[in-house]
């Protein structure tokens, strides 16, 4: 950057520190222990490690008892706390939209001088790869097929009919649309704001500064970060377990059923072996860092997704796909409010959709939110609150509905107007093979099946990478950059935990881990809505203060600095007039 850029950065950084940062002598990681290539928080890292080790030991020792315990816990939490999950996520959506469209929408993450670290395309690629990739690959065909045969009681449709297909798409859109991204967006906004605007550690404890103050550096903060570590680890393990199950089945189906060339065994131990192999690949990527590994793989993911998506649109029932998208969106938007609050309590014909699917998803998104939210926060400096919310909430949600329409809609077409082979294979083999059975019904099924398998693998790697970076932040006192050894350590640990959960209870164990860790975290997120409001309101008051106005007046009189304001005259950017990277107003 030019010298004037440096001067602007120094002055505005100083302005941000002087007026916006809390009065505290503490710095991220200032009590850390550095040894053997690690830079660790003296409490969070060892305590988390001990509890994770105990969990692994108990799961192995209990054996079959662990699987039974996981099933009981999953059903108990769903039946008892399902209503709370549904109410909480609706609160998150309302809160996030309020922040975006209120006076706080023009506040810039990182302060008025902050510039975007990544292009819009790279930003979208990374947040989408971290947030949904493996799940969409796993459920985009199997979930609509399940509802087609077992229509959600909310819609009252008859199984196997066009009405059931419409209900299936609307229910699937509901699970993968605005609600999960609202959870991610709220967490990401809170983490980004308190880290970049307040100069606090990039950990979950920082969001509670308005309530705890300096106590975030004591045991209240330690407990918050520990809960966050567990939620992140088990939410991530759920996705990794689902992903490797699909990779295993996909390789077996493509190699054996479609090519007739090689029979690859399926089951727990082959999946554990695959986790080990893919985790080793992930360690190489995570060692390369955010720019060298995660960014490149995330971009590759997006290209592969578009290639697979475009291929099926062309060779599949194109008109039917887009008709499904339009009709599905209509059913989704028409029922989104009622679906968001539907618990099935008053519906005697409720068929378990809420507990088995919605509550699991909401618990999974909440457990997954520290991981996705912190990763989004890490890459979102320089964006306004409004830009952040619109980007995180709407674009990925709409793309998810398009993806679901292409794959789920094609599955509905095959079931209603085709040979029904995709549904038959799904019923015979299970949900992990659903996508590959569908692709087999179209030209070049082997090629598209291999691309789908590769895509799941790359999503596995980027999810592991991103999760490692996030847990590194949490266990290093909020430092933005941690040693490579530490990143590799957590990538290996994630693979180990996912393997243990598969051995100890299979898919049910993975789902139980997600909703169990999501439950206490949901309470934390509800309180977080209030602390983020306090932070944004304080920022707005400072931006409107006389002291800030006087400082801006002094800056405005300089020839090498541009001060940009929004319509309400609130300052949104300070930049060099010759700098093409200036972001300006919303």
């Amino acid at each position: 950057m030019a010298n004037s850029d440096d001067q602007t950065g120094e002055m505005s950084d100083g302005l941000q520190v002087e007026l916006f940062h809390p009065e505290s002598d503490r710095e991220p990681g200032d009590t850390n222990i550095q040894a053997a290539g690690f830079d660790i928080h003296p409490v969070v890292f060892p305590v988390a490690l001990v509890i994770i080790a105990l969990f692994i030991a108990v799961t192995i020792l209990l054996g079959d008892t662990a699987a039974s315990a996981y099933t009981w816990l999953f059903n108990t939490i769903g039946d008892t706390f399902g209503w709370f999950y549904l109410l909480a996520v609706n609160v998150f959506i309302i809160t996030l939209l309020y922040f975006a469209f209120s006076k706080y929408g023009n506040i810039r993450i990182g302060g008025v001088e902050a510039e975007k670290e990544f292009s819009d395309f790279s930003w979208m690629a990374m947040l989408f790869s971290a947030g949904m990739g493996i799940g969409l690959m796993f459920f985009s065909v199997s979930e609509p097929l399940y509802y087609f045969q077992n229509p959600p009681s909310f819609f009252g449709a008859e199984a196997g009919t066009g009405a059931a297909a419409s209900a299936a798409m609307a229910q699937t859109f509901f699970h993968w649309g605005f609600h999960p991204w609202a959870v991610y967006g709220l967490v990401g906004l809170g983490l980004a704001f308190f880290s970049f605007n307040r100069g606090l550690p990039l950990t979950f404890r920082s969001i509670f500064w308005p309530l705890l103050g300096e106590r975030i550096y004591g045991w209240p903060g330690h407990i918050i970060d520990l809960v966050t570590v567990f939620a992140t680890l088990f939410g991530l393990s759920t996705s990794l377990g689902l992903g490797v199950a699909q990779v295993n089945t996909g390789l077996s189906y493509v190699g054996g059923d479609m090519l007739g060339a090689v029979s690859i065994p399926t089951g727990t131990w082959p999946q554990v072996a695959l986790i080990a192999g893919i985790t080793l690949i992930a360690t190489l990527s995570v060692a390369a860092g955010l720019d060298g590994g995660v960014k490149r793989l995330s971009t590759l993911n997006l290209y592969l997704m578009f290639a697979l998506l475009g291929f099926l649109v062309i060779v599949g029932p194109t008109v039917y796909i887009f008709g499904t998208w339009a009709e599905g969106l209509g059913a989704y938007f028409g029922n989104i409010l009622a679906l968001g609050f539907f618990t099935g309590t008053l519906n005697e014909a409720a068929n378990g959709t809420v507990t088995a699917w919605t509550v699991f998803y909401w618990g999974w998104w909440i457990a997954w939110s520290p991981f996705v939210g912190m990763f989004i926060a890490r890459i979102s400096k320089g964006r306004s609150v409004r830009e952040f919310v619109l980007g995180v909430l709407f674009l990925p949600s709409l793309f998810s509905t398009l993806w679901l329409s292409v794959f789920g809609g094609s599955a509905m077409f095959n079931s209603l107007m085709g040979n029904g082979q995709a549904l038959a294979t799904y019923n015979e083999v299970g949900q992990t093979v659903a996508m590959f059975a569908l692709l087999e019904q179209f030209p070049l099924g082997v090629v598209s099946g291999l691309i789908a398998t590769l895509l799941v693998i790359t999503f596995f790697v980027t999810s592991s990478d991103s999760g490692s970076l996030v847990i590194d932040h949490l266990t290093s006192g909020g430092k933005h950059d941690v040693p490579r050894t530490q990143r590799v350590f957590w990538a290996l640990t994630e693979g180990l935990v996912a393997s243990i959960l598969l051995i100890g209870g299979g898919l049910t164990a993975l789902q139980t881990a997600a909703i169990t860790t999501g439950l206490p975290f949901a309470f934390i997120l509800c309180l977080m809505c209030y602390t983020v409001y306090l932070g944004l309101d304080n920022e707005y008051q400072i931006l409107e203060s006389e002291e800030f106005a006087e400082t801006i007046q002094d800056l405005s009189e300089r020839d090498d600095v541009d001060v940009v304001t929004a319509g309400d005259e609130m300052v949104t950017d300070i930049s060099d007039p010759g700098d093409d990277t200036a972001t300006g107003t919303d």
Side-chain angles (χ1 to χ4, degrees), residues 100-174:
F101 295 106
S102 67
K103 61 185 180 182
Y104 307 122
N106 288 319
I107 294 175
R108 187 167 299 279
I109 297 172
V112 291
E113 86 291 357
E115 296 178 357
K116 297 177 182 178
E117 186 177 359
F118 301 100
S119 68
D120 291 342
F121 182 81
S122 294
W123 182 62
M124 290 295 298
M126 285 191 285
L127 73 88
F128 190 80
S129 295
M132 287 287 178
I134 289 178
L136 275 179
M137 293 295 294
F138 190 90
F139 288 109
S140 60
V141 177
S142 63
E143 187 173 351
L145 285 177
Y146 174 85
Y147 297 141
F148 180 68
Q149 300 179 100
N150 305 276
S153 56
F154 175 86
F155 294 95
E158 181 181 351
T161 64
S166 177
M169 297 311 302
Q171 186 75 35
T172 307
F173 284 5
F174 171 60

Side-chain angles (χ1 to χ4, degrees), residues 4 104 128 140 157 169 172 187 212 262 274 281 323 376 389 409 418 435 447 504 543 545:
S4 60
Y104 307 122
F128 190 80
S140 60
M169 297 311 302
T172 307
V187 173
L212 297 176
V262 58
L274 283 170
I281 299 174
I376 294 174
V389 171
M435 173 169 283
V447 176
L543 288 169
S545 67

Side-chain angles (χ1 to χ4, degrees), residues 241-260:
L242 293 174
V244 79
Q246 192 172 32
V247 170
N248 184 201
T249 306
L251 290 174
S252 176
Y253 193 81
V254 173
D257 295 67
M258 297 175 69
L259 286 177

Side-chain angles (χ1 to χ4, degrees), residues 15 112 543 547-557 563 565 571 574:
L15 177 66
V112 291
L543 288 169
E547 182 180 4
F548 185 79
E550 292 174 358
T551 305
I552 293 303
Q553 180 62 36
D554 293 338
L555 285 175
S556 299
E557 295 174 356
V563 176
T565 60
V571 175
I574 300 175

Side-chain angles (χ1 to χ4, degrees), residues 504-525:
L507 179 60
T508 301
L510 296 168
Q511 293 174 321
T512 304
I515 71 167
T516 303
T517 53
L519 182 59
F521 211 74
F523 288 96
I524 292 177
L525 295 190

Side-chain angles (χ1 to χ4, degrees), residues 2 4-5 559-562 575-582:
S4 60
D5 287 337
D559 293 333
D560 57 349
V561 175
D562 272 350
S575 63
D576 169 30
D579 184 8
D580 293 335
T581 64

Side-chain angles (χ1 to χ4, degrees), residues 185-442:
L186 179 65
V187 173
L189 177 61
L191 288 166
F193 175 80
F194 283 100
S195 177
F196 295 127
N197 291 62
R198 291 292 179 266
L200 295 169
L202 186 58
T203 67
F204 225 83
R205 68 177 73 200
S206 298
I207 299 177
F208 296 89
W209 175 271
L211 297 181
L212 297 176
E214 290 279 353
R215 286 180 294 168
I216 67 167
Y217 296 106
W219 271 105
H222 300 339
I223 293 173
I224 291 171
D225 278 353
L226 282 169
V227 174
T228 308
V229 169
F230 301 138
T232 303
L233 186 64
F234 292 117
L236 181 61
S237 295
T238 301
S239 292
L240 299 185
L242 293 174
V244 79
Q246 192 172 32
V247 170
N248 184 201
T249 306
L251 290 174
S252 176
Y253 193 81
V254 173
D257 295 67
M258 297 175 69
L259 286 177
V262 58
S263 178
I264 297 175
T266 59
T268 299
W269 289 107
Q271 290 168 19
V272 170
L274 283 170
I275 287 178
I278 299 175
T279 298
L280 289 177
I281 299 174
T283 59
L284 297 177
S285 175
V286 78
L290 189 61
D291 287 308
V294 179
K295 177 182 175 181
R296 292 177 181 176
L297 276 177
S298 297
T299 303
L300 173 63
N301 285 345
L302 209 60
Y303 286 135
L304 286 175
M305 285 191 78
F306 279 127
L308 190 61
L309 188 75
F311 169 78
L312 193 55
V313 167
I314 293 172
V315 304
T318 308
V319 175
Y320 190 91
I321 285 172
F322 287 109
T324 298
W325 191 28
E327 186 173 333
L329 284 174
Y332 171 43
F333 290 137
N335 294 283
I336 187 171
L337 187 61
L339 276 172
F341 291 92
F342 180 71
T343 65
T345 303
L346 302 178
N347 190 332
E348 295 180 359
N351 57 6
T353 299
V354 175
T355 299
W357 290 90
T358 307
V359 173
F360 159 63
Y361 276 133
W362 276 205
W364 187 14
W365 304 145
I366 292 171
W368 187 253
S369 66
F371 153 53
V372 181
M374 189 173 293
F375 185 73
I376 294 174
R378 175 66 180 81
I379 63 176
S380 298
K381 186 177 181 180
R383 300 180 185 275
S384 70
V385 170
R386 184 171 297 119
E387 179 185 7
F388 177 94
V389 171
L390 294 179
V392 173
L393 184 59
F394 288 98
L395 294 180
S397 298
L398 290 176
F399 181 81
S400 294
T401 62
L402 175 60
W403 178 275
L404 293 166
S405 297
V406 172
F407 289 89
S410 296
M412 296 299 98
F413 178 85
N414 182 259
S415 299
L416 289 168
M417 304 178 185
N419 58 15
Q421 190 58 46
L423 180 61
T425 305
Y426 164 80
N427 289 331
E428 179 182 351
V429 182
Q431 58 186 355
T432 57
V433 80
M435 173 169 283
F436 304 102
L438 174 68
L439 293 173
E440 188 181 15
Q441 309 309 311
F442 301 101

